[in-house]
Amino acid sequence: MNPIVTVQDAVTAFADFMEPTAAELDAIEREMPVILADVELLDAHIVTLDRTPTELDNRRIRRARRRALSARVALLNQDAGASVPGGAA
């Protein structure tokens, strides 16, 4: 006879191991400006899905795209500065 295991036992069996580590949470925190800029860009695109974009919509998309790119560049510069030992350039 096979024992019956509830779904709850199977789901929570590894719950302690599924939590993010402190390093992963720090990485998410460092990437948060990029994530928020990407969300803003997606919002700008979503507004124009069911209609023809106006000049204002185009400006909003361009502005959001610039913010997303600058957030990515800032993150890359921050990571590059942190990975160079001794401040050598």
Side-chain angles (χ1 to χ4, degrees), residues 1-86:
M1 183 174 195
N2 292 332
I4 298 173
V5 178
T6 64
V7 176
Q8 182 68 26
D9 291 340
V11 170
T12 59
F14 300 104
D16 293 339
F17 304 108
M18 295 174 63
E19 294 296 320
T21 63
E24 290 170 334
L25 290 174
D26 289 341
I28 292 169
E29 188 67 31
R30 261 193 337 270
E31 294 173 8
M32 191 54 69
V34 174
I35 294 168
L36 293 175
D38 285 344
V39 168
E40 183 181 341
L41 179 59
L42 284 173
D43 286 344
H45 280 291
I46 289 170
V47 167
T48 62
L49 283 178
D50 62 344
R51 61 185 167 98
T52 305
T54 64
E55 182 58 33
L56 213 61
D57 294 330
N58 289 330
R59 287 182 196 171
R60 183 177 180 210
I61 290 171
R62 282 194 306 267
R63 188 171 41 247
R65 186 177 292 129
R66 283 194 304 268
R67 285 184 185 144
L69 288 173
S70 68
R72 288 180 190 278
V73 168
L75 179 65
L76 286 173
N77 288 338
Q78 180 183 15
D79 288 346
S83 66
V84 177

